[in-house]
């Protein structure tokens, strides 16, 4: 089995490369510079050249606020790109594993979101990602769409790294406390995708479709920040006191794109189908010094 990874420089793509290498997979990992997934000719050429059995699409336009202005670019990467990959995969007999987001939901429900709940994205980012999902599902029967949320890791930009950086230069930080979700470690997402790939590679009947994968326990951004700085203090990363954290509301911190108040995803379908447990983000934070770059 050969795997083709797109978006190799992203948070999940970076972890996928590490794990694929460690596990001895036959794989090719391409950055956006090496493969623009919105270019159908380039995608067809790459898939024909590498002949993968599985394509893992970790490429995405994730600048949530900028997407409101850069709509064409967001749709090109988040909708057209996955469509191109799904079509090329189908034409070559390959499966596609595609990463999506909690932003496909309105975020105003109570409880957790299941895969069957109605979608209602509130901004361009979420809308473009939903249309990407729909394209993948319509084009290639052999697909897994993996929705995740609040992704963080050692590589790239994310909330954990931002907190560490800001906390080292400020004495107080205001953190939104009325949005809740499940922080998800990028390395765990990569592991989940490869677990699905192994299931397929070993000839098992694969229950294709849409799944949720995120972290537990659910928490607010404010609570997440408290956990982050508890680990920062424990690891003595600073030559100063950790900042005072002040809980603020979404209204106190307006952004061009609306954020979901509820990003809590029900991950039981994935666990039942593949035996993959939710991300343990608290364990991932114990190596806090690896995020300090």
């Amino acid at each position: 089995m050969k795997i083709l990874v797109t978006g190799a420089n992203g948070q999940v793509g970076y972890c996928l490369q590490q794990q694929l290498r460690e596990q001895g997979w036959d794989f090719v990992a391409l950055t956006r510079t090496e493969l623009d997934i919105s270019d159908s000719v380039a995608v067809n050429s790459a898939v024909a050249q590498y002949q993968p059995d599985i394509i893992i699409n970790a490429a995405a336009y994730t600048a949530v606020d900028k997407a409101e202005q850069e709509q064409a670019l967001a749709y090109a990467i988040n909708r057209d790109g996955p469509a191109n990959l799904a079509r090329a995969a189908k034409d070559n007999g390959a499966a596609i594993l595609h990463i999506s987001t909690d932003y496909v939901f309105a975020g105003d429900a109570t409880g957790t979101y299941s895969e069957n709940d109605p979608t209602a994205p509130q901004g361009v980012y979420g809308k473009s990602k939903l249309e990407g999902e729909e394209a993948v599902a319509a084009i290639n029967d052999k697909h897994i769409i993996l929705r995740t949320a609040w992704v963080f890791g050692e590589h790239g930009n994310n909330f954990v790294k931002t907190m560490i950086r800001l906390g080292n230069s400020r004495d107080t930080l205001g953190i939104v406390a009325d949005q809740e979700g499940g922080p998800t470690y990028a390395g765990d997402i990569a592991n989940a995708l490869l677990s699905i790939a192994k299931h397929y590679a070993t000839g098992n009947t694969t229950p294709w479709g849409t799944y949720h994968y995120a972290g537990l326990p659910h928490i607010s951004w404010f609570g997440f920040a408290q956990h982050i700085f508890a680990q920062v203090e424990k690891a003595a990363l600073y030559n100063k006191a950790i900042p005072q954290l002040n809980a603020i509301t979404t209204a106190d911190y307006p952004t061009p794109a609306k954020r979901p108040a509820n990003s809590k995803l029900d991950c039981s379908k994935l666990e039942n189908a593949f035996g993959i447990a939710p991300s343990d983000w608290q364990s991932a934070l114990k190596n806090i010094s690896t995020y300090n770059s």
Side-chain angles (χ1 to χ4, degrees), residues 178-247:
D178 58 356
Q179 296 172 17
E180 292 192 328
T184 315
Y185 177 53
D188 289 341
I189 300 172
N191 184 63
L193 289 164
L194 293 186
S195 294
I196 295 169
K198 287 174 193 170
H199 182 94
Y200 176 58
T202 50
N204 292 302
T205 300
T206 303
W208 305 110
T210 300
Y211 293 88
H212 289 170
Y213 182 74
L216 284 177
H218 295 132
I219 199 165
S220 69
W221 288 115
F222 178 77
F224 190 27
Q226 288 180 311
H227 277 271
I228 292 166
F229 285 110
Q231 292 300 323
V232 167
E233 188 171 39
K234 187 176 180 181
L237 288 189
Y238 297 162
N239 294 318
K240 60 180 282 294
I242 61 170
Q244 175 184 321
L245 302 183
N246 298 321

Side-chain angles (χ1 to χ4, degrees), residues 28-104:
V28 177
L30 302 176
T31 65
R32 185 181 176 188
T33 304
E34 294 165 328
L35 178 62
D36 177 0
I37 64 170
S38 68
D39 182 340
S40 61
V41 174
V43 168
N44 291 338
S45 175
V47 174
Q49 177 184 351
Y50 296 116
Q51 291 290 305
D53 299 288
I54 301 170
I55 295 174
I56 301 181
N57 181 32
Y61 181 104
T62 58
V64 175
D65 289 326
K66 286 179 71 176
E68 298 299 312
Q69 285 74 47
E70 297 182 344
Q71 296 189 20
L73 182 59
Y75 277 101
I77 298 172
N78 291 343
R79 177 194 60 197
D80 303 340
N84 292 336
L85 291 166
R87 191 171 295 108
K90 182 182 180 182
D91 291 345
N92 287 267
I96 180 168
L97 312 185
H98 172 65
I99 303 169
S100 193
T101 176
D102 59 295
Y103 274 72
V104 300

Side-chain angles (χ1 to χ4, degrees), residues 146-196:
L146 196 69
R147 293 176 181 150
T148 189
W150 293 23
V151 181
F152 71 95
E154 297 90 346
H155 180 79
N157 298 316
N158 55 68
F159 184 77
V160 174
K161 295 180 79 171
T162 298
M163 287 298 99
I164 294 171
R165 176 174 51 82
L166 292 178
N168 202 21
S169 60
R170 300 184 187 178
D171 295 327
T172 61
L173 290 172
I175 311 293
V176 172
D178 58 356
Q179 296 172 17
E180 292 192 328
T184 315
Y185 177 53
D188 289 341
I189 300 172
N191 184 63
L193 289 164
L194 293 186
S195 294
I196 295 169

Side-chain angles (χ1 to χ4, degrees), residues 114-152:
S114 77
E115 292 82 354
N116 295 324
D117 283 327
T119 53
Q122 299 297 296
V124 171
Y125 169 67
K127 290 174 183 176
S128 64
K129 290 294 289 183
L130 178 59
E131 292 191 25
E133 285 188 13
E134 292 169 343
V136 168
I139 292 167
N140 193 334
D141 290 339
K142 292 197 296 186
H143 71 268
I144 295 287
I145 293 163
L146 196 69
R147 293 176 181 150
T148 189
W150 293 23
V151 181
F152 71 95

